Amino acid sequence: MDFALELLKGIGRLFLHPLTYLFLLVSFFVGLSRVKRERQNFHVRVFDFILEAKYLFFPGIIIGLILSVVTVLLGVYVSIGTIVLVAVLTFIISGPWTFKWLSPSYTVGLAVLATLLIPADGFCEGFIQTWSAQAHNADLPSLTILMSLLVLAEGYLIWKFGAKGTSPAIVKSKRGQEIGAHYSQKLWVVPLFVLIPGSAITSVFPWWPVLSIDGTSFSLFFVPFAIGFYQRIQSMVPFKSIEFTGKRVLALGVGLTIITIAAIFYPPAAVAVVILAIIGREWIRLQQRRSDEKAPALFTKRTQGLVVLGIIPHSPAEKMGLKVGEVIIKVNGIAISEVHKFYEALQVNNRAFCKLEVIDENGEVRFTQRALYDNEHHELGILFVHNYTKRDSQAG
């Protein structure tokens, strides 16, 4: 009964953590910034500004509850001072309003390294001195286990959810030409149950907790950890690039989890695990960026057809099954290679019917067709790279 009551209290503490509300605020600001860029590029909003907030707590809470089984069974112990340290580092590296550095390898990893620099008696006075002294005495194996589990969660989230709602954009290539790109910027809150100093729970099993902890009385804290992701893609279909990154991060998490076993029996090894995590995550990020920049741009002008850069949700294009990266070569039987030719060809049949000939991502030709209605998007909801400015000036 005491354990169940403490479980409910731990969930309640999630809403006392200031980062929970910071994450909501950052998500809304990032969403507003994205909408502003989309309107500048295409004169239309692609996704609602709440897109980033939509994925903030789900599926992160489900994953957090699953991983909490491991943290509670092992008896992962984190002091209030250590929680505050991770929160401060998360706040610092999340600015200005970016998710790029919010990998557990950085937030938790840097916290481990910071504990080595904090004086044994802490610094300043009052509660700051108390918290900093607690952070100095952090249980390194517990922090390393936390980091490894969260990196596993990061890899899975990127792999399965990172490609949802990628935002199209028009950017400049190294040669100064306009090309298309996609941005994925996600923030997931993954709350984990950890043990904190308290008197609510005593050792309920002879073998519990697995980790060595001074004292046997604890409380549960449902701590919200941030997992951020940012990636720009211009050389391949977004979901393929992002899935590949997710699998790499997942492999890193598996490796870190295996190596972390050494830190349980030899705590100084935790520092080596953290350094490996930071280097490994940074290598994955830089490798993706370099390979993407070196490869030929996918979303660019072609001699035959127009490549689909983006599709507005719930538009005729989405209902016709068009996908980002496919190439439209004919509209109503008319070959096209310019944006204005595409819209001219749509006027055939008085816009009552549309038939598209498309080259899919496998290089195969397929046909898609659909009746059009007056209340639907007049441009089918397809976004291309070129001539948005020119079309507007000609229309004016």
Side-chain angles (χ1 to χ4, degrees):
M1 181 67 181
D2 290 341
F3 187 87
L5 180 61
E6 186 60 23
L7 192 68
L8 293 175
K9 289 181 179 179
I11 295 174
R13 292 186 184 107
L14 172 67
F15 300 99
L16 297 177
H17 201 300
L19 281 187
T20 302
Y21 304 98
L22 174 66
F23 297 151
L24 276 170
L25 184 64
V26 171
S27 295
F28 281 120
F29 272 101
V30 170
L32 290 173
S33 177
R34 172 185 50 76
V35 169
K36 181 179 179 181
R37 172 179 51 77
E38 290 172 350
R39 291 189 183 278
Q40 288 176 341
N41 287 170
F42 308 108
H43 311 305
V44 66
R45 179 198 67 199
V46 182
F47 297 102
D48 290 334
F49 77 96
I50 62 171
L51 175 69
E52 287 73 14
K54 178 181 177 182
Y55 297 104
L56 186 60
F57 294 104
F58 182 83
I61 288 181
I62 303 300
I63 294 174
L65 290 173
I66 294 172
L67 295 181
S68 291
V69 175
V70 180
T71 59
V72 172
L73 287 179
L74 288 178
V76 171
Y77 168 83
V78 183
S79 65
I80 295 296
T82 307
I83 293 173
V84 172
L85 177 60
V86 174
V88 170
L89 289 171
T90 299
F91 176 78
I92 292 173
I93 65 179
S94 66
W97 313 119
T98 180
F99 307 150
K100 183 184 298 185
W101 306 107
L102 290 181
S103 166
S105 297
Y106 305 134
T107 53
V108 183
L110 290 176
V112 171
L113 299 180
T115 61
L116 305 178
L117 303 177
I118 297 175
D121 297 330
F123 51 82
C124 296
E125 297 179 353
F127 65 88
I128 296 180
Q129 182 182 20
T130 302
W131 287 346
S132 56
Q134 290 176 353
H136 171 81
N137 296 313
D139 186 68
L140 296 186
S142 289
L143 284 178
T144 309
I145 291 171
L146 265 181
M147 181 191 67
S148 300
L149 292 175
L150 287 170
V151 171
L152 283 173
E154 177 188 12
Y156 179 79
L157 286 167
I158 294 172
W159 177 23
K160 294 297 183 180
F161 301 94
K164 292 183 180 295
T166 59
S167 174
I170 296 176
V171 299
K172 292 285 187 180
S173 68
K174 291 183 178 180
R175 297 182 179 181
Q177 297 177 337
E178 284 189 345
I179 62 173
H182 269 253
Y183 288 93
S184 177
Q185 190 157 220
K186 298 287 189 295
L187 179 63
W188 298 286
V189 174
V190 180
L192 292 179
F193 276 108
V194 297
L195 302 180
I196 61 173
S199 58
I201 305 174
T202 56
S203 185
V204 293
F205 300 106
W207 51 266
W208 185 87
V210 175
L211 300 179
S212 176
I213 302 174
D214 295 331
T216 57
S217 296
F218 320 100
S219 294
L220 282 176
F221 204 133
F222 206 32
V223 184
F225 291 94
I227 296 181
F229 176 65
Y230 172 91
Q231 185 165 309
R232 192 181 95 164
I233 310 102
Q234 64 186 42
S235 65
M236 61 191 302
V237 178
F239 82 88
K240 288 185 177 180
S241 175
I242 293 171
E243 283 186 356
F244 186 64
T245 298
K247 290 177 181 179
R248 278 181 164 179
V249 175
L250 190 60
L252 175 65
V254 171
L256 292 174
T257 302
I258 294 173
I259 301 173
T260 297
I261 297 175
I264 296 177
F265 299 100
Y266 183 64
V271 177
V273 176
V274 164
I275 293 175
L276 179 62
I278 294 173
I279 293 175
R281 187 62 184 91
E282 186 65 8
W283 179 85
I284 292 172
R285 187 184 70 83
L286 292 176
Q287 187 68 16
Q288 184 278 328
R289 190 180 71 179
R290 288 171 181 170
S291 61
D292 189 62
E293 290 177 349
K294 288 182 179 179
L298 172 63
F299 305 102
T300 186
K301 186 174 177 62
R302 299 170 179 239
T303 56
Q304 182 185 21
L306 293 170
V307 62
V308 177
L309 173 59
I311 296 174
I312 297 175
H314 313 299
S315 64
E318 183 180 69
K319 296 172 183 177
M320 293 173 75
L322 290 176
K323 298 178 180 179
V324 170
E326 292 186 322
V327 180
I328 301 173
I329 55 177
K330 287 185 179 181
V331 179
N332 292 327
I334 302 173
I336 59 167
S337 60
E338 298 286 347
V339 174
H340 70 276
K341 293 291 185 182
F342 172 85
Y343 295 110
E344 289 175 1
L346 281 180
Q347 305 305 316
V348 176
N349 301 324
N350 294 321
R351 286 189 51 83
F353 187 81
C354 177
K355 179 179 180 181
L356 304 180
E357 187 173 336
V358 178
I359 299 177
D360 64 20
E361 60 185 65
N362 298 317
E364 299 179 353
V365 177
R366 70 180 182 90
F367 297 90
T368 180
Q369 54 189 10
R370 185 176 182 275
L372 300 179
Y373 304 97
D374 292 338
N375 61 342
E376 292 185 314
H377 200 287
H378 69 286
E379 297 176 349
L380 296 188
I382 304 175
L383 303 177
F384 301 110
V385 175
H386 300 282
N387 295 336
Y388 281 90
T389 303
K390 180 183 291 185
R391 245 184 337 112
D392 283 355
S393 61
Q394 288 175 350

